[in-house]
Amino acid sequence: MTQRIEDYALIGDLQTAALVGMNGSIDWLCLPRFDSAACFTALLGTKENGHWLLAPKGAGRVTGRRYAGDSLVLETHWETRNGTVKVTDFMPQRDVAPDVVRIVEGVSGSVEMSSTLRLRFDYGSIVPWVRRTDGQRVAVAGPDSVWLRSVTRGRPADGDGAPGEEPSVKTWGQEFSTCSSFTVGAGEKVAFVLTWHPSHLPRPALIDPFEALEHSVDDWRKWAARCTYEGPYREAVLRSLLTLKGLIYAPTGGIVAAPTTSLPEELGGVRNWDYRYCWLRDSALVLGALLSAGYVDEAEAWRDWLLRAVAGDPSDLQIMYGVAGERRLPETELTWLNGYAGASPVRIGNEAVEQLQLDVYGEVIDSLHVARGVGLTGQPHAWDLQLALLGFLESKWREPDEGLWEVRGPRRHFTHSKVMAWVAADRAVKTLESDPSLRGDVNRWKAMRDEVHREVCEKGYDPVRNTFTQSYGSAELDAATLLIPRYGFLPPDDPRVVGTVDAVRAELATDGLVRRYSTEGGSVDGLPGGEGTFLVCSFWLADALLMTGRKKEATALFERLLALRNDVGLLAEEYDPALGRQLGNFPQAFSHIGLVGTALALAAAEDGTTE
């Protein structure tokens, strides 16, 4: 049976990530990068598309699981009639090759374990050739090579073993899989190490899995100890920050929106997209979350990634890039996969990369303004880049675009896009006013800022209903308008802001949680079907309630959102209140950014806030 999206936990090595299910199966893993082809793709198909099941024989779901302290090292406990075992799953931060390590430790009694490894390269489409070499199993197909070995401690010899190591458990081939069966008693440990490398290169150096565990836990704990936030909800904030850290591609500083593709926004639906890329908008917001908690190094690395990725003609600015700044992300459907719980098509790549989304210019300029304000190490060309982007935006902001939500219908004059054009001009003005040594025409930008503001208030606002609308001339609403007071376009106590918050809550909320926009009837996005409530929009509502003086309601909504996290503190993109299930790609950076932002806003709220 298909596991729920929230049944998965994340492990990763800051270059890629895997999802481990409640049944002990790793059902998703792309190697060697987040956006590489998957070798475990059962998440979007069946077990025949690749997975790695490690669990007690005959077991169903785990008894309990948690992360080892402040880390992405997953500890799973299984209680059986004959004893208890702990399985520790993690990916050490790599020197050269990526490794997946799974350590089985006997806690009490004697437990019979079973491992089934089905490697299927290129998103579950290629069965590799597997052979035995030096006591290990090696699987090869085209450019991919994966080695499997096992190491034991405190138990008798059982079979195979790599030269110079203690004997490992015996493995055998069965139905195009590598299988093993072994028993662990109290105090005994069996470690499996799965290592990928290019098939044309020699096997990488072996790691000691037990030492790697100690180093990995220590690495994560040291990183977590740098968190400067000590306010309410610290556990939830830190877990979200650890998750965001796990979505950073360390070699470049790029941040992926999620480590998965094609997890549906509606069960059985077609709204299935590839999120394994770096959206400028999402990443800019991650920068703010990291800076707010004291993680300057990561924020600086992303700022430098941004400057490299967007370098060139401002008219060529994309809304997203590959983890190393790649620009070509062609969208393709994988017809051999039936999709998560039958939701097809399964897509890789994302053709939204070709869209015009004017709000991105505002996000980039705002994030660079924030970076400058907190004193990140200066980059001489950063201001030149902002000048070029603003110059392009000056000539384009009056045009329609696809907007924040990447609609695949006709372009429109989206209100949020215009607000972000105002943000771009406003931040440029403020930067010049704070640093007169910079060059720029502040009067021209002030004029642009004023013109955008007038137009939005005239054309994007419905005076009869007292709310800003999704686009000019439309009666539809959009949760993105909740951000108007956050960016300073209007003050929180402006009646138009209060009216917008109330209208969004009345018309877009389902059981108190907020949808992005209405998908009923002739939907603006040009797609059939619907979607769940959007979690970051629900956090935005909590923020807007707080800013408009309704702290008690904001706190209640925030704590309800916290309760939607899975057992290890992770959130997907959306939530279906009727089914009580998470939806969309997982875990989602946008959702965890929202969590951090709202927690910090509540912590900073004055005690006398009107409730």
Side-chain angles (χ1 to χ4, degrees), residues 198-225:
S199 59
H200 65 281
L201 296 179
R203 182 189 67 190
L206 304 180
I207 67 166
D208 182 312
F210 305 105
E211 289 183 0
L213 174 59
E214 294 179 5
H215 291 317
S216 292
V217 171
D218 189 54
D219 286 344
W220 283 109
R221 286 178 175 167
K222 286 179 178 176
W223 187 86

Side-chain angles (χ1 to χ4, degrees), residues 157-235:
D158 205 38
D160 311 320
E165 290 188 340
E166 296 181 59
S168 65
V169 299
K170 182 178 180 179
T171 62
W172 66 90
Q174 181 177 319
E175 297 179 348
F176 302 104
S177 304
T178 298
C179 303
S180 61
S181 179
F182 56 96
T183 301
V184 290
E188 298 176 350
K189 297 181 180 180
V190 175
F192 291 91
V193 182
L194 187 77
T195 304
W196 178 95
H197 72 103
S199 59
H200 65 281
L201 296 179
R203 182 189 67 190
L206 304 180
I207 67 166
D208 182 312
F210 305 105
E211 289 183 0
L213 174 59
E214 294 179 5
H215 291 317
S216 292
V217 171
D218 189 54
D219 286 344
W220 283 109
R221 286 178 175 167
K222 286 179 178 176
W223 187 86
R226 291 167 47 203
C227 179
T228 58
Y229 177 70
E230 296 293 342
Y233 311 108
R234 187 178 190 278
E235 176 276 329

Side-chain angles (χ1 to χ4, degrees), residues 203-436:
R203 182 189 67 190
L206 304 180
I207 67 166
D208 182 312
F210 305 105
E211 289 183 0
L213 174 59
E214 294 179 5
H215 291 317
S216 292
V217 171
D218 189 54
D219 286 344
W220 283 109
R221 286 178 175 167
K222 286 179 178 176
W223 187 86
R226 291 167 47 203
C227 179
T228 58
Y229 177 70
E230 296 293 342
Y233 311 108
R234 187 178 190 278
E235 176 276 329
V237 168
L238 185 53
R239 176 50 54 193
S240 288
L241 291 169
L242 286 162
T243 304
L244 293 173
K245 172 70 170 176
L247 301 182
I248 294 176
Y249 183 68
T252 66
I255 303 169
V256 297
T260 57
T261 179
S262 298
L263 289 179
E265 297 173 10
E266 178 185 41
L267 292 180
V270 301
R271 299 166 184 262
N272 317 318
W273 316 110
D274 194 346
Y275 279 13
R276 299 170 301 153
Y277 305 112
C278 305
W279 268 256
L280 296 188
R281 178 189 306 110
D282 300 35
S283 299
L285 295 172
V286 171
L287 177 138
L290 292 171
L291 286 174
S292 67
Y295 290 106
V296 175
D297 291 345
E298 287 75 12
E300 192 167 278
W302 176 81
R303 190 274 316 275
D304 293 344
W305 171 88
L306 169 70
L307 295 177
R308 294 190 302 270
V310 306
D313 190 330
S315 65
D316 295 330
L317 182 76
Q318 297 182 179
I319 63 167
M320 73 181 88
Y321 296 85
V323 294
E326 296 88 351
R327 291 174 175 260
R328 297 190 183 276
L329 310 173
E331 187 173 301
T332 305
E333 295 182 4
L334 305 184
T335 56
W336 61 88
L337 295 172
N338 58 16
Y340 174 84
S344 62
V346 171
R347 298 179 174 96
I348 58 171
N350 200 315
E351 70 178 21
V353 72
E354 305 293 338
Q355 291 186 351
L356 175 65
Q357 297 180 21
L358 293 172
D359 69 292
V360 170
Y361 292 83
E363 295 286 5
V364 171
I365 291 172
D366 182 53
S367 64
L368 292 175
H369 174 73
V370 170
R372 180 183 292 273
V374 299
L376 289 192
T377 304
Q379 290 286 5
H381 56 291
W383 180 243
D384 291 335
L385 172 65
Q386 292 175 78
L387 288 175
L389 294 178
L390 190 57
F392 177 76
L393 186 59
E394 281 183 283
S395 66
K396 287 288 185 180
W397 73 264
R398 298 175 183 84
E399 297 183 9
D401 70 338
E402 277 89 3
L404 167 71
W405 304 126
E406 301 176 0
V407 300
R408 300 204 175 192
R411 289 181 175 179
R412 288 171 166 80
H413 290 281
F414 286 102
T415 300
H416 176 73
S417 295
K418 310 301 184 184
V419 169
M420 295 310 297
W422 177 91
V423 169
D426 178 73
R427 301 313 188 255
V429 168
K430 289 178 177 176
T431 299
L432 272 184
E433 290 177 342
S434 64
D435 188 352

Side-chain angles (χ1 to χ4, degrees), residues 536-570:
V536 75
C537 296
S538 301
F539 285 113
W540 291 348
L541 175 59
D543 295 341
L545 290 170
L546 181 62
M547 294 184 74
T548 54
R550 290 170 275 188
K551 182 180 178 183
K552 183 176 181 180
E553 294 175 54
T555 302
L557 176 55
F558 178 69
E559 292 183 349
R560 184 182 175 200
L561 288 164
L562 287 185
L564 301 183
R565 297 177 300 156
N566 74 355
D567 60 309
V568 289
L570 302 181

